[in-house]
Amino acid sequence: MAAARSSSGASGATRYEYSGSGPVRGAVRKVGRALRMPFTGTARGIRKATHAHGAGESGLGKLIELHAVNGAGDVMITVALASTVFFSVPTDEARGRVALYLAITMAPFTVLAPVIGPLLDRLPHGRRAAMAGSMLARALLALILSGAVASGSLELYPAALGVLVASKAYGVVRSAVVPRLLPPRFSLVKANSRVTLAGLLATGAAAPVGAGLQTIGPRWPLYGAFVLYVSGMFLSFSMPHKVDSAKGESRAVLAADEEHVHGPAKRQERQRKPGLRTVGPAVTHALAANASLKCLSGFLIFFLAFLLREHPMTGQSAAVSLGIVGVAAGAGNALGTAVGAWLKARAPEIIIVTVVAVVLGVAVVSAVFFGAFMTACLAAVAGFAQALAKLSLDATIQRDVPEAVRTSAFARSETLLQVAWVLGGAIGIALPLVGSLGLSVAAGIVAVGWLTTVRGLLASARRGPARPRVA
């Protein structure tokens, strides 16, 4: 056995000439570093990307990371509920279960959703706490759901409603927070595109992980969601304190008519109670067009889920068919987000009118030539248009709404879009499973939104930005 010997130099420091333990310890450290490298290297790469271009200094990087955690947790919940409510039973029974799920969770949500924005609007000093509370609520509800999915108890439905409400509350607060975290020379469109893209990437990465956990047992995706939401709770409190500042803010109301925007002074003074009446015509027309796309999104999710399960793509299973459409929609959404960041805030009204028109055209062609390829194309184009139109709506709000009321406008617009999604889902679950009929209804949904807003949007683009009053 080799013994450790030392000799002292002029400085009195001890130097090991030879030690049997030294090389072993060094080798262990090298192996440890090698094993940690995939994780630490990935973490450093993610941190570098999320904190680039001043996002780290402004606090936007923290919000990007929080939204990624939020997206990953939500997809874990989705995997667990889809496996329980949808895939575990025959199609007819699954349709009844999903209809029951919609009735018990979505119907109350349509009543609660309009309250979320105004309620959070009254709590401008507690935005970090609101996001942390949303994360904590979903973490606890994930544990309740883990017992419900195993036993099949009715606790699943109220717990799922709670998760839905908490998730939308987070979305409303996030929309209100982004303007407060903009780095220098950073447009709101670019910031929102980064946040949205982080959520999409996290969702895409977490979906197969959730599916893998589902193979272990129905509880495991929900345990994964619990861990993610708890980490999200701590991330919420790590954001800068300026998120909670309400300095210079007031409440906004949304309207398209000139009487409310430029009405008599006495009328403006009397109308102090917040409502959906007065931020300017361009914003409300853009919001209506976005609502039609959001309604289309909810419709396609539920209608195609049952249609492809009963009539999958040629040569493919139901799960693979749904996966193809889901990947197409996700890829379109990511591409729309990237294009939105590239276009920045150029002519948002023209962008919205154009992308909605493209979706309408593809929906009509898909209804006439119904098939697997056209269905996937419609999903991809709808995802692309929804992402780009939402970023253009954000640009319109940034341009037309004063900073003093901008966070309020974001909160209220987000709530209306979620109600539109619920309405589309309800239509999708109620229709018979006939492909051409369903896609004709999809075209009708988009046509209503496009035809009712195109004239107003183009007129707003010609007039230029309006400056609404502060309530």
Side-chain angles (χ1 to χ4, degrees):
M1 181 183 296
R5 295 179 300 174
S6 65
S7 61
S8 299
S11 64
T14 300
R15 176 175 61 84
Y16 283 93
E17 293 178 349
Y18 176 78
S19 172
S21 61
V24 173
R25 191 179 297 115
V28 169
R29 282 197 297 266
K30 289 180 181 179
V31 171
R33 282 195 296 269
L35 292 175
R36 291 197 305 269
M37 182 58 68
F39 304 99
T40 57
T42 301
R44 282 195 297 268
I46 293 173
R47 176 58 60 91
K48 184 178 179 181
T50 58
H51 285 58
H53 304 107
E57 292 77 7
S58 71
L60 181 64
K62 292 283 187 182
L63 181 62
I64 292 173
E65 293 169 358
L66 175 64
H67 192 62
V69 170
N70 175 80
D74 282 354
V75 80
M76 292 283 187
I77 296 281
T78 301
V79 168
L81 291 180
S83 300
T84 302
V85 176
F86 184 73
F87 286 109
S88 61
V89 294
T91 302
D92 292 339
E93 186 179 345
R95 194 165 190 183
R97 282 196 182 191
V98 173
L100 180 63
Y101 176 86
L102 283 174
I104 297 178
T105 60
M106 297 299 188
F109 177 71
T110 59
V111 178
L112 293 173
V115 181
I116 294 173
L119 178 62
L120 293 172
D121 205 24
R122 294 175 182 272
L123 302 172
H125 296 286
R127 295 190 184 109
R128 292 189 306 164
M131 286 191 285
S134 168
M135 294 289 177
L136 177 60
R138 282 179 284 172
L140 298 176
L141 289 168
L143 293 181
I144 296 174
L145 284 170
S146 68
V149 297
S151 62
S153 67
L154 292 178
E155 292 176 354
L156 183 146
Y157 297 101
L161 172 61
V163 169
L164 185 65
V165 171
S167 178
K168 300 316 174 188
Y170 161 83
V172 168
V173 178
R174 176 189 62 81
S175 295
V177 163
V178 173
R180 289 226 165 251
L181 299 177
L182 290 180
R185 299 180 299 278
F186 224 76
S187 70
L188 186 61
V189 174
K190 186 175 181 179
N192 274 296
S193 65
R194 278 201 182 187
V195 174
T196 303
L197 189 58
L200 289 172
L201 293 175
T203 298
V209 175
L213 291 174
Q214 181 68 30
T215 61
I216 301 175
R219 296 173 180 260
W220 284 94
L222 295 162
Y223 292 153
F226 172 81
V227 173
L228 288 166
Y229 288 138
V230 169
S231 65
M233 179 184 67
F234 290 108
L235 270 174
S236 299
F237 284 117
S238 72
M239 286 195 296
H241 289 281
K242 63 183 176 182
V243 167
D244 289 333
S245 172
K247 184 178 179 181
E249 291 186 9
S250 301
R251 286 191 289 268
V253 286
L254 306 177
D257 60 280
E258 295 293 330
E259 179 186 359
H260 283 100
V261 177
H262 302 295
K266 290 183 179 179
R267 180 182 180 89
Q268 292 182 6
E269 289 175 2
R270 288 198 310 269
Q271 203 171 26
R272 294 186 182 278
K273 186 176 180 181
L276 299 177
R277 290 180 293 278
T278 57
V279 297
V283 173
T284 51
H285 289 310
L287 180 58
N290 271 267
S292 70
L293 292 178
K294 198 73 173 178
C295 186
L296 174 68
S297 172
F299 173 84
L300 290 177
I301 286 173
F302 287 96
F303 180 75
L304 292 181
F306 287 108
L307 179 67
L308 294 177
R309 180 172 179 178
E310 185 129 343
H311 307 290
M313 296 179 180
T314 304
Q316 304 295 338
S317 65
V320 172
S321 299
L322 286 171
I324 291 172
V325 173
V327 169
N333 205 300
L335 181 60
T337 301
V339 171
W342 175 67
L343 290 174
K344 297 181 180 178
R346 298 169 187 155
E349 294 95 346
I350 304 299
I351 292 174
I352 294 173
V353 169
T354 302
V355 297
V356 178
V358 170
V359 173
L360 176 58
V362 174
V364 170
V365 173
S366 300
V368 174
F369 302 102
F370 174 73
F373 175 75
M374 290 308 304
T375 301
C377 284
L378 177 59
V381 172
F384 175 86
Q386 184 180 337
L388 192 52
K390 180 59 169 65
L391 291 173
S392 298
L393 171 63
D394 294 342
T396 306
I397 292 175
Q398 183 192 32
R399 185 196 67 192
D400 287 2
V401 179
E403 185 178 359
V405 293
R406 194 174 293 153
T407 56
S408 174
F410 271 111
R412 293 163 191 272
S413 66
E414 182 70 21
T415 300
L416 288 178
L417 292 178
Q418 297 307 327
V419 173
W421 186 89
V422 172
L423 176 62
I427 297 172
I429 192 66
L431 278 183
L433 300 179
V434 179
S436 57
L437 171 64
L439 296 191
S440 297
V441 171
I445 291 172
V446 181
V448 169
W450 188 72
L451 292 174
T452 56
T453 60
V454 59
R455 183 177 178 182
L457 279 170
L458 293 178
S460 297
R462 287 193 298 269
R463 283 196 301 267
R467 281 297 177 184
R469 69 174 176 85
V470 177

PDB file of all heavy atoms in Angstrom, residues 104-129:
ATOM      1  N   ILE A 104     -69.655  20.075 -16.304  1.00  0.00           N
ATOM      2  CA  ILE A 104     -69.327  20.314 -14.904  1.00  0.00           C
ATOM      3  C   ILE A 104     -68.188  21.307 -14.734  1.00  0.00           C
ATOM      4  O   ILE A 104     -68.148  22.054 -13.754  1.00  0.00           O
ATOM      5  CB  ILE A 104     -68.977  18.974 -14.207  1.00  0.00           C
ATOM      6  CG1 ILE A 104     -70.203  18.051 -14.209  1.00  0.00           C
ATOM      7  CG2 ILE A 104     -68.498  19.197 -12.787  1.00  0.00           C
ATOM      8  CD1 ILE A 104     -69.953  16.694 -13.603  1.00  0.00           C
ATOM      9  N   THR A 105     -67.263  21.322 -15.687  1.00  0.00           N
ATOM     10  CA  THR A 105     -66.098  22.210 -15.533  1.00  0.00           C
ATOM     11  C   THR A 105     -66.189  23.463 -16.400  1.00  0.00           C
ATOM     12  O   THR A 105     -65.990  24.575 -15.914  1.00  0.00           O
ATOM     13  CB  THR A 105     -64.801  21.462 -15.878  1.00  0.00           C
ATOM     14  OG1 THR A 105     -64.847  21.008 -17.231  1.00  0.00           O
ATOM     15  CG2 THR A 105     -64.583  20.294 -14.945  1.00  0.00           C
ATOM     16  N   MET A 106     -66.493  23.304 -17.693  1.00  0.00           N
ATOM     17  CA  MET A 106     -66.480  24.450 -18.583  1.00  0.00           C
ATOM     18  C   MET A 106     -67.662  25.385 -18.358  1.00  0.00           C
ATOM     19  O   MET A 106     -67.528  26.601 -18.451  1.00  0.00           O
ATOM     20  CB  MET A 106     -66.476  23.980 -20.046  1.00  0.00           C
ATOM     21  CG  MET A 106     -65.248  23.192 -20.437  1.00  0.00           C
ATOM     22  SD  MET A 106     -63.726  24.156 -20.263  1.00  0.00           S
ATOM     23  CE  MET A 106     -62.546  23.042 -21.007  1.00  0.00           C
ATOM     24  N   ALA A 107     -68.833  24.830 -18.096  1.00  0.00           N
ATOM     25  CA  ALA A 107     -69.999  25.690 -17.897  1.00  0.00           C
ATOM     26  C   ALA A 107     -69.808  26.640 -16.703  1.00  0.00           C
ATOM     27  O   ALA A 107     -70.013  27.845 -16.839  1.00  0.00           O
ATOM     28  CB  ALA A 107     -71.256  24.849 -17.741  1.00  0.00           C
ATOM     29  N   PRO A 108     -69.406  26.133 -15.539  1.00  0.00           N
ATOM     30  CA  PRO A 108     -69.125  27.084 -14.451  1.00  0.00           C
ATOM     31  C   PRO A 108     -67.984  28.031 -14.796  1.00  0.00           C
ATOM     32  O   PRO A 108     -67.981  29.187 -14.360  1.00  0.00           O
ATOM     33  CB  PRO A 108     -68.751  26.179 -13.276  1.00  0.00           C
ATOM     34  CG  PRO A 108     -69.355  24.869 -13.585  1.00  0.00           C
ATOM     35  CD  PRO A 108     -69.305  24.749 -15.076  1.00  0.00           C
ATOM     36  N   PHE A 109     -67.026  27.547 -15.590  1.00  0.00           N
ATOM     37  CA  PHE A 109     -65.901  28.411 -15.943  1.00  0.00           C
ATOM     38  C   PHE A 109     -66.348  29.603 -16.779  1.00  0.00           C
ATOM     39  O   PHE A 109     -65.813  30.710 -16.642  1.00  0.00           O
ATOM     40  CB  PHE A 109     -64.845  27.613 -16.702  1.00  0.00           C
ATOM     41  CG  PHE A 109     -63.689  28.443 -17.171  1.00  0.00           C
ATOM     42  CD1 PHE A 109     -62.772  28.937 -16.261  1.00  0.00           C
ATOM     43  CD2 PHE A 109     -63.536  28.757 -18.510  1.00  0.00           C
ATOM     44  CE1 PHE A 109     -61.711  29.727 -16.687  1.00  0.00           C
ATOM     45  CE2 PHE A 109     -62.489  29.542 -18.942  1.00  0.00           C
ATOM     46  CZ  PHE A 109     -61.565  30.030 -18.021  1.00  0.00           C
ATOM     47  N   THR A 110     -67.329  29.420 -17.660  1.00  0.00           N
ATOM     48  CA  THR A 110     -67.811  30.538 -18.458  1.00  0.00           C
ATOM     49  C   THR A 110     -68.434  31.619 -17.578  1.00  0.00           C
ATOM     50  O   THR A 110     -68.479  32.790 -17.954  1.00  0.00           O
ATOM     51  CB  THR A 110     -68.860  30.070 -19.493  1.00  0.00           C
ATOM     52  OG1 THR A 110     -69.957  29.457 -18.813  1.00  0.00           O
ATOM     53  CG2 THR A 110     -68.256  29.098 -20.472  1.00  0.00           C
ATOM     54  N   VAL A 111     -68.944  31.218 -16.419  1.00  0.00           N
ATOM     55  CA  VAL A 111     -69.481  32.194 -15.470  1.00  0.00           C
ATOM     56  C   VAL A 111     -68.354  32.845 -14.676  1.00  0.00           C
ATOM     57  O   VAL A 111     -68.365  34.050 -14.414  1.00  0.00           O
ATOM     58  CB  VAL A 111     -70.490  31.517 -14.517  1.00  0.00           C
ATOM     59  CG1 VAL A 111     -71.018  32.517 -13.491  1.00  0.00           C
ATOM     60  CG2 VAL A 111     -71.646  30.920 -15.312  1.00  0.00           C
ATOM     61  N   LEU A 112     -67.342  32.042 -14.316  1.00  0.00           N
ATOM     62  CA  LEU A 112     -66.254  32.553 -13.483  1.00  0.00           C
ATOM     63  C   LEU A 112     -65.239  33.368 -14.273  1.00  0.00           C
ATOM     64  O   LEU A 112     -64.656  34.313 -13.750  1.00  0.00           O
ATOM     65  CB  LEU A 112     -65.535  31.389 -12.794  1.00  0.00           C
ATOM     66  CG  LEU A 112     -66.339  30.613 -11.759  1.00  0.00           C
ATOM     67  CD1 LEU A 112     -65.549  29.382 -11.290  1.00  0.00           C
ATOM     68  CD2 LEU A 112     -66.682  31.502 -10.565  1.00  0.00           C
ATOM     69  N   ALA A 113     -65.015  32.999 -15.549  1.00  0.00           N
ATOM     70  CA  ALA A 113     -63.954  33.641 -16.333  1.00  0.00           C
ATOM     71  C   ALA A 113     -64.108  35.154 -16.433  1.00  0.00           C
ATOM     72  O   ALA A 113     -63.129  35.886 -16.277  1.00  0.00           O
ATOM     73  CB  ALA A 113     -63.884  33.015 -17.724  1.00  0.00           C
ATOM     74  N   PRO A 114     -65.316  35.674 -16.684  1.00  0.00           N
ATOM     75  CA  PRO A 114     -65.418  37.140 -16.761  1.00  0.00           C
ATOM     76  C   PRO A 114     -65.104  37.841 -15.455  1.00  0.00           C
ATOM     77  O   PRO A 114     -64.826  39.039 -15.447  1.00  0.00           O
ATOM     78  CB  PRO A 114     -66.890  37.356 -17.165  1.00  0.00           C
ATOM     79  CG  PRO A 114     -67.316  36.090 -17.814  1.00  0.00           C
ATOM     80  CD  PRO A 114     -66.575  35.017 -17.081  1.00  0.00           C
ATOM     81  N   VAL A 115     -65.143  37.098 -14.348  1.00  0.00           N
ATOM     82  CA  VAL A 115     -64.870  37.710 -13.045  1.00  0.00           C
ATOM     83  C   VAL A 115     -63.367  37.757 -12.763  1.00  0.00           C
ATOM     84  O   VAL A 115     -62.896  38.603 -12.001  1.00  0.00           O
ATOM     85  CB  VAL A 115     -65.599  36.918 -11.933  1.00  0.00           C
ATOM     86  CG1 VAL A 115     -65.360  37.533 -10.563  1.00  0.00           C
ATOM     87  CG2 VAL A 115     -67.087  36.860 -12.233  1.00  0.00           C
ATOM     88  N   ILE A 116     -62.604  36.849 -13.402  1.00  0.00           N
ATOM     89  CA  ILE A 116     -61.190  36.711 -13.074  1.00  0.00           C
ATOM     90  C   ILE A 116     -60.423  37.992 -13.358  1.00  0.00           C
ATOM     91  O   ILE A 116     -59.676  38.489 -12.513  1.00  0.00           O
ATOM     92  CB  ILE A 116     -60.576  35.525 -13.854  1.00  0.00           C
ATOM     93  CG1 ILE A 116     -61.199  34.207 -13.379  1.00  0.00           C
ATOM     94  CG2 ILE A 116     -59.069  35.484 -13.657  1.00  0.00           C
ATOM     95  CD1 ILE A 116     -60.769  33.006 -14.203  1.00  0.00           C
ATOM     96  N   GLY A 117     -60.620  38.548 -14.565  1.00  0.00           N
ATOM     97  CA  GLY A 117     -59.880  39.755 -14.940  1.00  0.00           C
ATOM     98  C   GLY A 117     -60.144  40.925 -14.021  1.00  0.00           C
ATOM     99  O   GLY A 117     -59.223  41.488 -13.428  1.00  0.00           O
ATOM    100  N   PRO A 118     -61.433  41.323 -13.852  1.00  0.00           N
ATOM    101  CA  PRO A 118     -61.706  42.438 -12.942  1.00  0.00           C
ATOM    102  C   PRO A 118     -61.259  42.194 -11.506  1.00  0.00           C
ATOM    103  O   PRO A 118     -60.815  43.113 -10.828  1.00  0.00           O
ATOM    104  CB  PRO A 118     -63.240  42.568 -13.028  1.00  0.00           C
ATOM    105  CG  PRO A 118     -63.591  42.023 -14.374  1.00  0.00           C
ATOM    106  CD  PRO A 118     -62.617  40.907 -14.608  1.00  0.00           C
ATOM    107  N   LEU A 119     -61.358  40.940 -11.031  1.00  0.00           N
ATOM    108  CA  LEU A 119     -60.927  40.646  -9.667  1.00  0.00           C
ATOM    109  C   LEU A 119     -59.432  40.847  -9.509  1.00  0.00           C
ATOM    110  O   LEU A 119     -58.970  41.506  -8.563  1.00  0.00           O
ATOM    111  CB  LEU A 119     -61.314  39.201  -9.296  1.00  0.00           C
ATOM    112  CG  LEU A 119     -60.884  38.735  -7.900  1.00  0.00           C
ATOM    113  CD1 LEU A 119     -61.553  39.585  -6.822  1.00  0.00           C
ATOM    114  CD2 LEU A 119     -61.227  37.261  -7.703  1.00  0.00           C
ATOM    115  N   LEU A 120     -58.658  40.312 -10.450  1.00  0.00           N
ATOM    116  CA  LEU A 120     -57.208  40.483 -10.384  1.00  0.00           C
ATOM    117  C   LEU A 120     -56.803  41.925 -10.659  1.00  0.00           C
ATOM    118  O   LEU A 120     -55.764  42.386 -10.185  1.00  0.00           O
ATOM    119  CB  LEU A 120     -56.535  39.541 -11.388  1.00  0.00           C
ATOM    120  CG  LEU A 120     -56.676  38.054 -11.070  1.00  0.00           C
ATOM    121  CD1 LEU A 120     -56.155  37.214 -12.227  1.00  0.00           C
ATOM    122  CD2 LEU A 120     -55.952  37.688  -9.785  1.00  0.00           C
ATOM    123  N   ASP A 121     -57.634  42.623 -11.421  1.00  0.00           N
ATOM    124  CA  ASP A 121     -57.355  44.030 -11.698  1.00  0.00           C
ATOM    125  C   ASP A 121     -57.417  44.873 -10.430  1.00  0.00           C
ATOM    126  O   ASP A 121     -56.793  45.930 -10.338  1.00  0.00           O
ATOM    127  CB  ASP A 121     -58.381  44.543 -12.713  1.00  0.00           C
ATOM    128  CG  ASP A 121     -57.844  45.724 -13.501  1.00  0.00           C
ATOM    129  OD1 ASP A 121     -56.617  45.853 -13.606  1.00  0.00           O
ATOM    130  OD2 ASP A 121     -58.663  46.502 -14.011  1.00  0.00           O
ATOM    131  N   ARG A 122     -58.165  44.390  -9.434  1.00  0.00           N
ATOM    132  CA  ARG A 122     -58.267  45.110  -8.164  1.00  0.00           C
ATOM    133  C   ARG A 122     -57.135  44.749  -7.214  1.00  0.00           C
ATOM    134  O   ARG A 122     -57.067  45.272  -6.101  1.00  0.00           O
ATOM    135  CB  ARG A 122     -59.607  44.792  -7.501  1.00  0.00           C
ATOM    136  CG  ARG A 122     -60.806  45.314  -8.286  1.00  0.00           C
ATOM    137  CD  ARG A 122     -62.109  44.868  -7.652  1.00  0.00           C
ATOM    138  NE  ARG A 122     -63.251  45.328  -8.437  1.00  0.00           N
ATOM    139  CZ  ARG A 122     -63.854  46.504  -8.280  1.00  0.00           C
ATOM    140  NH1 ARG A 122     -63.393  47.352  -7.369  1.00  0.00           N
ATOM    141  NH2 ARG A 122     -64.886  46.846  -9.022  1.00  0.00           N
ATOM    142  N   LEU A 123     -56.268  43.829  -7.628  1.00  0.00           N
ATOM    143  CA  LEU A 123     -55.146  43.406  -6.778  1.00  0.00           C
ATOM    144  C   LEU A 123     -53.816  43.671  -7.477  1.00  0.00           C
ATOM    145  O   LEU A 123     -53.003  42.757  -7.637  1.00  0.00           O
ATOM    146  CB  LEU A 123     -55.271  41.907  -6.446  1.00  0.00           C
ATOM    147  CG  LEU A 123     -56.554  41.470  -5.746  1.00  0.00           C
ATOM    148  CD1 LEU A 123     -56.625  39.953  -5.668  1.00  0.00           C
ATOM    149  CD2 LEU A 123     -56.643  42.073  -4.347  1.00  0.00           C
ATOM    150  N   PRO A 124     -53.551  44.910  -7.906  1.00  0.00           N
ATOM    151  CA  PRO A 124     -52.321  45.166  -8.668  1.00  0.00           C
ATOM    152  C   PRO A 124     -51.058  45.016  -7.838  1.00  0.00           C
ATOM    153  O   PRO A 124     -49.975  44.846  -8.380  1.00  0.00           O
ATOM    154  CB  PRO A 124     -52.501  46.617  -9.138  1.00  0.00           C
ATOM    155  CG  PRO A 124     -53.396  47.227  -8.105  1.00  0.00           C
ATOM    156  CD  PRO A 124     -54.327  46.136  -7.684  1.00  0.00           C
ATOM    157  N   HIS A 125     -51.173  45.103  -6.495  1.00  0.00           N
ATOM    158  CA  HIS A 125     -49.985  45.026  -5.655  1.00  0.00           C
ATOM    159  C   HIS A 125     -49.597  43.576  -5.334  1.00  0.00           C
ATOM    160  O   HIS A 125     -48.587  43.353  -4.673  1.00  0.00           O
ATOM    161  CB  HIS A 125     -50.224  45.788  -4.351  1.00  0.00           C
ATOM    162  CG  HIS A 125     -50.442  47.250  -4.550  1.00  0.00           C
ATOM    163  ND1 HIS A 125     -49.427  48.121  -4.876  1.00  0.00           N
ATOM    164  CD2 HIS A 125     -51.573  47.992  -4.500  1.00  0.00           C
ATOM    165  CE1 HIS A 125     -49.923  49.345  -4.988  1.00  0.00           C
ATOM    166  NE2 HIS A 125     -51.226  49.288  -4.780  1.00  0.00           N
ATOM    167  N   GLY A 126     -50.391  42.614  -5.746  1.00  0.00           N
ATOM    168  CA  GLY A 126     -50.106  41.232  -5.371  1.00  0.00           C
ATOM    169  C   GLY A 126     -49.976  40.301  -6.552  1.00  0.00           C
ATOM    170  O   GLY A 126     -50.419  39.148  -6.489  1.00  0.00           O
ATOM    171  N   ARG A 127     -49.358  40.762  -7.642  1.00  0.00           N
ATOM    172  CA  ARG A 127     -49.282  39.921  -8.837  1.00  0.00           C
ATOM    173  C   ARG A 127     -48.381  38.705  -8.628  1.00  0.00           C
ATOM    174  O   ARG A 127     -48.684  37.612  -9.088  1.00  0.00           O
ATOM    175  CB  ARG A 127     -48.792  40.751 -10.027  1.00  0.00           C
ATOM    176  CG  ARG A 127     -49.757  41.850 -10.432  1.00  0.00           C
ATOM    177  CD  ARG A 127     -49.365  42.496 -11.738  1.00  0.00           C
ATOM    178  NE  ARG A 127     -50.262  43.603 -12.056  1.00  0.00           N
ATOM    179  CZ  ARG A 127     -49.922  44.874 -12.020  1.00  0.00           C
ATOM    180  NH1 ARG A 127     -48.690  45.216 -11.650  1.00  0.00           N
ATOM    181  NH2 ARG A 127     -50.787  45.813 -12.329  1.00  0.00           N
ATOM    182  N   ARG A 128     -47.254  38.884  -7.967  1.00  0.00           N
ATOM    183  CA  ARG A 128     -46.388  37.725  -7.695  1.00  0.00           C
ATOM    184  C   ARG A 128     -47.118  36.724  -6.812  1.00  0.00           C
ATOM    185  O   ARG A 128     -47.056  35.512  -7.046  1.00  0.00           O
ATOM    186  CB  ARG A 128     -45.090  38.180  -7.030  1.00  0.00           C
ATOM    187  CG  ARG A 128     -44.181  39.001  -7.930  1.00  0.00           C
ATOM    188  CD  ARG A 128     -42.825  39.233  -7.286  1.00  0.00           C
ATOM    189  NE  ARG A 128     -42.954  39.821  -5.957  1.00  0.00           N
ATOM    190  CZ  ARG A 128     -42.001  39.861  -5.048  1.00  0.00           C
ATOM    191  NH1 ARG A 128     -40.822  39.336  -5.314  1.00  0.00           N
ATOM    192  NH2 ARG A 128     -42.195  40.432  -3.875  1.00  0.00           N
ATOM    193  N   ALA A 129     -47.799  37.228  -5.796  1.00  0.00           N
ATOM    194  CA  ALA A 129     -48.545  36.337  -4.908  1.00  0.00           C
ATOM    195  C   ALA A 129     -49.686  35.651  -5.654  1.00  0.00           C
ATOM    196  O   ALA A 129     -49.989  34.477  -5.402  1.00  0.00           O
ATOM    197  CB  ALA A 129     -49.091  37.120  -3.713  1.00  0.00           C
TER     198      ALA A 129
END
